[in-house]
Amino acid sequence: SEVIEQEGRKLATILDNLPDGVILWDRDGEWRYANSAFCDIQETSQERLARLRRFDAMMDALLERGLIDEPFRVAALDRFRRADGEPKLRATMDGLWVEGAFHRLQDGSTLGVFRDITALKAQEFRLAEERDAAEQARAEAEAANQAKSTFLATMSHESRTPMNGVLGMLEVLEHQSMGMEQ
């Protein structure tokens, strides 16, 4: 019995020190465990989870608090029922990006695993902005290069036209005999 208690404490210590949120419901959909990261990511408490107990009640409470809308609630209930491990990404009301998935375990219970990916999304947005800025700079450089090419072509034409006239006059003069006055 003491060995089981020690192993239980060790497991709880490990789970509570994971950066990912972990929550477990039994095969009847009753809440059994949530680590502290889950509570942090989902902005909830062990007390609230213990009070609500069931996943559908948790979704109803989030809907009532205005933290999710009805289509999200319906989709979440469907994902929970399927528990196929398919990750779902969502933005929370306070700006966090959370990726979560439900997994059906062999005993019929459901494991939820949630990860705060806000830093990754911020980096993704930053890289997209940098890519857009680089694309804009490339477009501006191409426009400047085109303007330079047009200017040089125009200047070349403007320089050649009078020179062709001068060369033509010299050729005409070359084929004529020149008098004293010329």
Side-chain angles (χ1 to χ4, degrees), residues 70-136:
E70 181 61 22
F72 182 89
R73 179 188 162 281
V74 170
L77 290 170
D78 182 56
R79 284 192 312 278
F80 182 79
R81 277 190 283 278
R82 282 193 332 263
D84 58 7
E86 181 73 25
K88 173 69 176 161
L89 181 65
R90 78 175 180 98
T92 65
M93 299 296 260
D94 63 347
L96 290 179
W97 284 91
V98 177
E99 181 181 71
F102 298 110
H103 305 270
R104 185 80 63 230
L105 303 181
Q106 284 183 330
D107 66 357
S109 60
T110 303
L111 178 69
V113 180
F114 298 86
R115 176 175 290 154
D116 179 352
I117 62 165
T118 305
L120 290 173
K121 287 302 277 186
Q123 183 178 12
E124 180 182 313
F125 291 141
R126 183 183 53 76
L127 290 173
E129 287 173 356
E130 289 175 3
R131 183 194 66 234
D132 291 346
E135 180 62 30
Q136 177 71 23

Side-chain angles (χ1 to χ4, degrees), residues 5-161:
E5 277 186 36
Q6 276 183 325
E7 291 301 312
R9 283 193 301 272
K10 186 188 311 180
L11 182 59
T13 299
I14 291 168
L15 290 172
D16 276 337
N17 284 287
L18 287 176
D20 292 347
V22 176
I23 187 166
L24 180 67
W25 291 272
D26 67 17
R27 66 176 355 168
D28 298 322
E30 293 284 324
W31 170 76
R32 293 294 172 229
Y33 175 81
N35 70 353
S36 57
F38 176 85
C39 292
D40 292 343
I41 291 169
Q42 298 296 339
E43 299 175 3
T44 192
S45 66
Q46 297 286 344
E47 294 78 22
R48 182 179 289 142
L49 293 171
R51 188 177 74 252
L52 296 171
R53 307 276 323 144
R54 301 186 55 78
F55 182 76
D56 55 352
M58 292 174 191
M59 290 295 103
D60 291 344
L62 291 174
L63 181 66
E64 288 171 16
R65 291 172 51 202
L67 298 176
I68 61 171
D69 58 16
E70 181 61 22
F72 182 89
R73 179 188 162 281
V74 170
L77 290 170
D78 182 56
R79 284 192 312 278
F80 182 79
R81 277 190 283 278
R82 282 193 332 263
D84 58 7
E86 181 73 25
K88 173 69 176 161
L89 181 65
R90 78 175 180 98
T92 65
M93 299 296 260
D94 63 347
L96 290 179
W97 284 91
V98 177
E99 181 181 71
F102 298 110
H103 305 270
R104 185 80 63 230
L105 303 181
Q106 284 183 330
D107 66 357
S109 60
T110 303
L111 178 69
V113 180
F114 298 86
R115 176 175 290 154
D116 179 352
I117 62 165
T118 305
L120 290 173
K121 287 302 277 186
Q123 183 178 12
E124 180 182 313
F125 291 141
R126 183 183 53 76
L127 290 173
E129 287 173 356
E130 289 175 3
R131 183 194 66 234
D132 291 346
E135 180 62 30
Q136 177 71 23
R138 185 189 63 75
E140 289 172 3
E142 284 180 1
N145 190 38
Q146 182 61 41
K148 178 191 76 164
S149 295
T150 301
F151 173 77
L152 289 175
T154 301
M155 289 309 295
S156 175
H157 173 74
E158 293 298 324
S159 298
R160 277 194 319 265
T161 301

Side-chain angles (χ1 to χ4, degrees), residues 156-180:
S156 175
H157 173 74
E158 293 298 324
S159 298
R160 277 194 319 265
T161 301
M163 287 305 292
N164 285 339
V166 170
L167 291 173
M169 290 297 286
L170 288 173
E171 189 176 334
V172 168
L173 288 174
E174 189 178 77
H175 293 295
Q176 292 181 349
S177 58
M178 295 181 57
M180 286 305 280

